[in-house]
Amino acid sequence: MADASIALNRFGLGGRPGDDPGANPRQWLAAQLQRYEPRPQQIAVLPPTSQIAAELADYFEELRQARPQNPGRRQRGPARAKPAMPDSMQSVPGQEMSEKPMAGEAMKERERANDPAAQVRRFARRQAREHYAVAVGARATVALTSPAPFAERLVHFWANHFAVSADKLQVIGLAGAFEFEAIRPHVMGKFGDMLHAVERHPGMLLYLDQAQSIGPNSMTGQIAQRRRAGGNNLPGLNENLAREILELHTLGVRTGYGQSDVTEFARAMTGWTVAGLGRGRGARFAGTDGEPGRFVFAERLHEPGMRTILGKRWTQQGEGQAAAVLDMLATHPATARHIATKLARHFAGDEPPPALVAQLESAFLKSGGDLPTLYRVLIDAPECWAPQPVKFKSPWEWSISAMRALGAEQLQANAANGLLTQLGQPVWRPGSPAGWDDVAAAWAGPDAVMRRVEAAERMAQRTRDTIDARRRATQLFPGALSDTTAQAIARAESPGQGVALMLVAPEFMRR
Amino acid sequence: MLNRRNFVALGAGAIFTSTLGAKMTFASAATTKRFVFIIQRGAADGLGTIAPVGDPGFVSQRGALAEDFASAAKLDSMFALHPGMTTVAGLYQAKQALFVHAVASPYRDRSHFDGQNVLETGGTSAYALKDGWLNRLLSLLPREDKAIALAATVPMALRGPVEVASYAPSALPDATDDLLHRVASMYAGDPQLHGLWEQATATRMLTSDMAADNGRNAAATGDLAAKLLSAEGGARVAMIETGGWDTHAQQRARLGVQLRGLDGMIAALKAGLGPLWNDTMVLVATEFGRTVKVNGTGGTDHGTGSAAMLLGGAVNGGRVLADWPGLGDAALYEGRDLKPTMALDTLIASAVGSHFDLTGAQAAAKLFPNMQASRPIQDLVRA
């Protein structure tokens, strides 16, 4: 593959008509690091986290009101047993303690009007329509039109590294805001800053159950234990986020930490939560009241005491304890290796070249996790310019590059995500905190290829005869178009069929 | 199913949706003769359909696949028909079924797409011709009626200058067959995509196989084909696409239901055509055969020689035509496949030529322009 083609396709998101990396494709890529816009217009107009979280808070309040309260006011009602309920939110700090008993008749009426399962579905649909779909559209539009596609690819990379999944009710509306607020502003900054922003964002705190983690010996934990003596639904410690920070976000799996490190880190993390989702006395007591969606450190949820994590004593108190651990993790050699490996895999192939990993790792450590330093290593690395394609495109990459190739600038609502869902990669729904796999085996399946062919034909039909695929293909893959593809396109029975063939050509399936 | 308003609005080439399990294409020709081409996509196993039970190597070479024929009635001293094909067996008894064995198109490699392209275009190599032999046949027939259509797309065999209609059994939007073929040839040199594509299209073939809905779809297709062929001023030539013949694993059960489905389709076709059956010729053919030996998963892989059938009241049947090459290892093509000793294009040219009273040479030259000079096969139709 010629360098210009590699710059457009492997580093970028695929060419648009008129895109030209010029005589020096490396320079073209490096310039994008400056050109990057953290908050482009399409994103700036979207509702902020505070608004989305306020809706979430209203919803929890409705659920609370609907829940039967007999016999005791802290007894969980039948709604608790419904699997469709947002399980984790049932025990948001403050929520339990703010429940008020309702009069019998009023309660029954409420119950009828508010079948909990129906309520959940209604809310999920509304969040999906008003926030999720709109945010997906904005993400896709930015990817289609950005003058800095390499930088946008990096946004997608980091959002997948710090994956949240809208499979979880509370994340549906927040997934877009999470990427726009915690990832985008830090893509050209330090890894540690991104890490701190990510672990404090309500999208992550809710997704990985940190928001309701309570230190057993915290003030709230003690009260809860006294009040619910004998019950087996005690609110308490949740290790989910702490574990995933170690395993996925920083050090990487099997890098020398043990279960006690996870538990201790989870204790250190207690108190890191989301403000304003629970209302009433309990929230005020726990210190989780305030503007919905804001990060808050709730001292009264925090497990007091010193910690030992990764063989080190952590004597800080309060919020500073977990923050100090995060600082250490952000520049840890295992983190450097983990990040280096993932970046190398993304740009140089499923089996990341060891020399490139080592180079990135050392750049990470030397620069204290300065991300543009790593990007410049990638731009300069010969491994990233291997002439043969090194990656099989994910559905997101394929869809965006296909739409860019056709010169699309605007999308109908839901168009992008409808396509992505059909192709097997709905946006912000990887279904796991590990994010989507970044290897061909995840995407190069027979059915997946057939679906792309079907999608390509539908997309191409809409172009009618406005695009000459013979010319367009040479622009998209300068100096890198195979004779086979050129011939297949040239022999197409119609301009539209030529476009369809271009979109599923081997050149187009890979980067 | 056939919505008249849509039909009028869209005209020829319109796409309709039906619930049938196979794709059909019809063309009109002003003749009393009816011709149906049933294509078996996926390389049907001729040895598992018309078995050479008299060959000394049959049982040892076919292993478990030979068991289907343990008590099957013989057609002649060499061959037996799969016991699932009871209607076809009856046709054979009535001398309305003729089988041709160790037959192959000029294609000698083992790609479904290329093999089907050769079978349908009537060329000598894949993608050499741009139209199909069935369309070229239409150009030789008197044409009064416009062609009508009920398939997602016109299959390659019917493509060409003569306007042809088609009928779609499945909901859109599947990619068009033509695009799929072109993607196949574009991927031919790409090891990863080629392999994925073969699997993808094999899966797709299975989705319209003969066993769908316990064979009822296949019978319904035969029934519908009969209605359209017998309608006043209706189609005289039809092509029915069947899939599901790519039996790489567990062939015995799979091929059994496939053949029963095909048999049911033919039974429905015959019943629906009534007296017209006497003027009908049905050709059943596949792109190539399968390996002689059974593979490790109870199936067979892509091979070369296979079998074809001519069925119908117009056929001079009750015979198996074969210059039998034998199943001994030394007799196999490339050491693995049934060696083709008869040319499928000669068979087709001879059969449709005599069925439509075209002189053999004229039909052959038009249908298979690059065919090696060969003598037409005589006496294929009833005198």
Side-chain angles (χ1 to χ4, degrees):
Chain A
M1 218 192 288
D3 283 1
S5 187
I6 290 171
L8 284 170
N9 296 291
R10 187 174 305 159
F11 284 90
L13 300 171
R16 289 179 55 82
D19 271 2
D20 180 10
N24 191 336
R26 287 167 179 79
Q27 224 163 55
W28 181 70
L29 293 173
Q32 293 183 27
L33 304 183
Q34 267 84 52
R35 211 181 294 149
Y36 168 68
E37 279 184 73
R39 200 170 140 82
Q41 183 58 25
Q42 296 95 328
I43 284 170
V45 298
L46 299 181
T49 280
S50 56
Q51 183 187 325
I52 302 164
E55 292 172 13
L56 207 51
D58 289 344
Y59 165 69
F60 293 139
E61 184 66 24
E62 276 172 44
L63 278 190
R64 214 161 24 235
Q65 304 273 333
R67 196 185 308 161
Q69 301 303 315
N70 50 10
R73 64 182 198 136
R74 267 179 259 306
Q75 185 87 25
R76 288 171 194 276
R80 170 71 180 160
K82 300 266 193 227
M85 295 293 284
D87 190 56
S88 61
M89 292 318 299
Q90 290 300 318
S91 49
V92 157
Q95 180 180 332
E96 300 301 321
M97 282 171 275
S98 66
E99 286 169 359
K100 293 186 188 78
M102 290 176 77
E105 209 44 49
M107 181 198 77
K108 275 183 197 155
E109 207 166 20
R110 262 308 182 168
E111 204 175 359
R112 280 194 296 274
N114 297 314
D115 167 47
Q119 241 179 333
V120 170
R121 285 194 297 271
R122 255 196 323 271
F123 178 74
R125 272 199 304 272
R126 208 174 66 220
Q127 290 279 294
R129 191 177 60 241
E130 291 173 7
H131 300 304
Y132 173 80
V134 176
V136 170
R139 184 196 219 226
T141 312
V142 170
L144 290 187
T145 55
S146 170
F150 173 40
E152 292 299 326
R153 170 178 292 289
L154 293 163
V155 170
H156 309 148
F157 171 85
W158 287 114
N160 193 53
H161 177 75
F162 292 111
V164 297
S165 182
D167 286 337
K168 197 163 184 169
L169 180 90
Q170 304 94 296
V171 182
I172 297 172
L174 287 169
F178 172 79
E179 178 172 308
F180 304 151
E181 296 165 5
I183 303 289
R184 291 195 71 96
H186 303 288
V187 164
M188 296 302 159
K190 293 264 188 184
F191 176 77
D193 294 335
M194 191 188 287
L195 180 68
H196 273 278
V198 159
E199 313 303 0
R200 285 178 162 83
H201 196 277
M204 185 62 81
L205 291 166
L206 292 168
Y207 176 51
L208 290 180
D209 308 312
Q210 175 60 36
Q212 79 267 27
S213 183
I214 299 174
N217 297 308
S218 68
M219 208 174 282
T220 306
Q222 299 267 325
I223 291 169
Q225 280 182 50
R226 275 201 301 277
R227 289 190 176 171
R228 299 163 133 248
N232 50 10
N233 263 333
L234 282 179
L237 197 65
N238 189 307
E239 294 179 353
N240 200 3
L241 180 61
R243 177 180 299 280
E244 302 303 15
I245 289 174
L246 296 171
E247 179 174 325
L248 299 172
H249 298 171
T250 61
L251 306 179
V253 67
R254 293 183 298 279
T255 46
Y257 56 88
Q259 177 56 45
S260 69
D261 295 313
V262 172
T263 310
E264 277 286 86
F265 186 25
R267 290 188 183 116
M269 291 285 292
T270 50
W272 288 47
T273 187
V274 185
L277 297 185
R279 291 172 188 160
R281 282 187 298 138
R284 279 196 297 279
F285 174 79
T288 60
D289 52 349
E291 187 193 335
R294 276 188 64 162
F295 171 78
V296 63
F297 177 75
E299 183 74 51
R300 287 175 171 178
L301 302 178
H302 182 66
E303 181 75 1
M306 290 184 289
R307 314 258 88 86
T308 302
I309 301 167
L310 295 170
K312 213 177 151 216
R313 272 307 254 171
W314 302 87
T315 57
Q316 301 81 351
Q317 295 299 311
E319 181 184 355
Q321 193 174 56
V325 178
L326 278 186
D327 284 340
M328 180 272 295
L329 293 172
T331 52
H332 194 283
T335 302
R337 169 151 283 253
H338 184 203
I339 300 301
T341 306
K342 286 186 81 169
L343 275 171
R345 178 178 295 126
H346 191 69
F347 288 97
D350 293 0
E351 293 296 329
L356 177 59
V357 174
Q359 209 187 339
L360 287 163
E361 187 182 344
S362 128
F364 188 101
L365 290 172
K366 266 188 222 151
S367 69
D370 181 59
L371 299 178
T373 302
L374 300 186
Y375 308 151
R376 279 188 280 271
V377 170
L378 290 168
I379 294 173
D380 292 336
E383 292 93 334
C384 297
W385 298 87
Q388 291 307 311
V390 295
K391 298 294 285 186
F392 196 89
K393 287 181 185 174
S394 70
W396 167 260
E397 292 168 341
W398 181 81
S399 304
I400 291 298
S401 60
M403 289 187 270
R404 286 176 64 93
L406 303 184
E409 293 188 351
Q410 285 183 333
L411 290 170
Q412 283 183 320
N414 290 322
N417 210 42
L419 178 61
L420 265 306
T421 304
Q422 279 179 27
L423 297 180
Q425 194 184 22
V427 178
W428 297 316
R429 290 187 61 193
S432 140
W436 302 103
D437 276 349
D438 192 15
V439 291
W443 305 119
D447 183 53
V449 176
M450 180 63 80
R451 283 165 187 246
R452 287 186 196 184
V453 171
E454 289 169 351
E457 189 169 52
R458 290 203 296 281
M459 292 165 83
Q461 276 162 356
R462 274 179 235 129
T463 66
R464 296 194 173 271
D465 54 1
T466 58
I467 293 173
D468 183 342
R470 292 168 300 185
R471 271 194 60 225
R472 183 65 54 87
T474 61
Q475 294 166 354
L476 298 176
F477 304 98
L481 191 70
S482 76
D483 291 345
T484 311
T485 298
Q487 271 176 22
I489 294 172
R491 289 174 183 165
E493 67 170 8
S494 67
Q497 191 183 59
V499 169
L501 287 165
M502 174 181 83
L503 296 182
V504 296
E507 289 90 331
F508 216 100
M509 294 296 224
R510 308 193 181 97
R511 61 180 174 90
Chain B
M1 182 176 46
L2 218 178
N3 179 320
R4 176 137 191 97
R5 191 166 51 94
N6 285 347
F7 173 66
V8 170
L10 294 168
I15 295 160
F16 298 93
T17 302
S18 81
T19 56
L20 298 174
K23 294 175 182 171
M24 280 193 292
T25 309
F26 290 87
S28 300
T31 166
T32 57
K33 302 290 172 75
R34 268 60 173 177
F35 179 76
V36 182
F37 174 29
I38 300 179
I39 185 169
Q40 298 171 295
R41 295 196 191 278
D45 183 27
L47 292 171
T49 308
I50 297 127
V53 292
D55 187 297
F58 177 70
V59 170
S60 59
Q61 292 283 38
R62 296 295 279 180
L65 299 183
E67 289 168 26
D68 280 331
F69 298 88
S71 57
K74 279 184 146 190
L75 297 167
D76 61 13
S77 61
M78 175 65 82
F79 297 102
L81 183 67
H82 191 283
M85 302 199 80
T86 52
T87 302
V88 173
L91 293 174
Y92 187 84
Q93 293 301 322
K95 302 202 184 305
Q96 294 187 355
L98 181 141
F99 306 122
V100 184
H101 222 317
V103 66
S105 81
Y107 181 70
R108 286 292 173 275
D109 293 315
R110 298 179 179 94
S111 148
H112 289 306
F113 273 110
D114 291 355
Q116 288 171 25
N117 187 267
V118 171
L119 170 61
E120 294 187 70
T121 58
T124 50
S125 61
Y127 308 103
L129 295 181
K130 299 294 168 218
D131 54 7
W133 62 262
L134 208 42
N135 191 281
R136 295 194 293 274
L137 168 67
L138 294 173
S139 70
L140 298 176
L141 303 177
R143 269 172 63 238
E144 293 175 352
D145 305 312
K146 292 227 166 176
I148 62 163
L150 326 207
T153 55
V154 178
M156 191 64 226
L158 265 173
R159 286 186 150 217
V162 179
E163 203 176 338
V164 165
S166 63
Y167 213 103
S170 63
L172 289 174
D174 282 351
T176 56
D177 286 348
D178 182 58
L179 179 63
L180 300 188
H181 284 270
R182 288 167 192 264
V183 169
S185 62
M186 185 166 70
Y187 287 174
D190 186 305
Q192 182 188 35
L193 289 170
H194 175 72
L196 291 171
W197 194 246
E198 289 265 309
Q199 287 180 52
T201 50
T203 305
R204 194 180 156 100
M205 284 174 194
L206 290 179
T207 61
S208 66
D209 67 18
M210 307 294 296
D213 195 21
N214 208 12
R216 276 188 286 275
N217 282 358
T221 303
D223 189 47
L224 179 66
K227 284 201 181 88
L228 291 159
L229 284 164
S230 53
E232 193 73 28
R236 297 295 174 263
V237 172
M239 176 168 169
I240 303 178
E241 298 186 87
T242 67
W245 300 99
D246 197 16
T247 49
H248 283 281
Q250 311 309 323
Q251 170 167 316
R252 222 183 134 191
R254 290 261 313 276
L255 186 61
V257 294
Q258 285 288 112
L259 290 174
R260 273 188 286 278
L262 177 62
D263 195 72
M265 179 184 280
I266 288 159
L269 188 61
K270 178 176 183 290
L273 284 172
L276 290 171
W277 178 254
N278 286 331
D279 273 335
T280 297
M281 173 185 276
V282 179
L283 165 71
V284 182
T286 188
E287 70 262 26
F288 47 74
R290 311 194 67 81
T291 49
V292 171
K293 286 186 168 64
V294 186
N295 68 19
T297 54
T300 51
D301 298 311
H302 298 182
T304 308
S306 191
M309 305 180 197
L310 290 177
L311 313 168
V315 173
N316 181 19
R319 303 178 284 155
V320 183
L321 291 186
D323 176 6
W324 191 244
L327 290 182
D329 282 342
L332 303 185
Y333 179 73
E334 296 188 345
R336 50 175 264 155
D337 305 339
L338 177 62
K339 182 184 286 175
T341 54
M342 292 186 70
L344 188 57
D345 46 12
T346 303
L347 171 72
I348 296 172
S350 307
V352 298
S354 39
H355 184 53
F356 288 108
D357 293 325
L358 310 166
T359 67
Q362 182 198 4
K366 183 75 182 176
L367 268 51
F368 301 97
N370 304 320
M371 189 167 73
Q372 300 285 319
S374 68
R375 269 184 306 155
I377 304 169
Q378 304 294 327
D379 302 325
L380 291 175
V381 301
R382 196 173 292 281

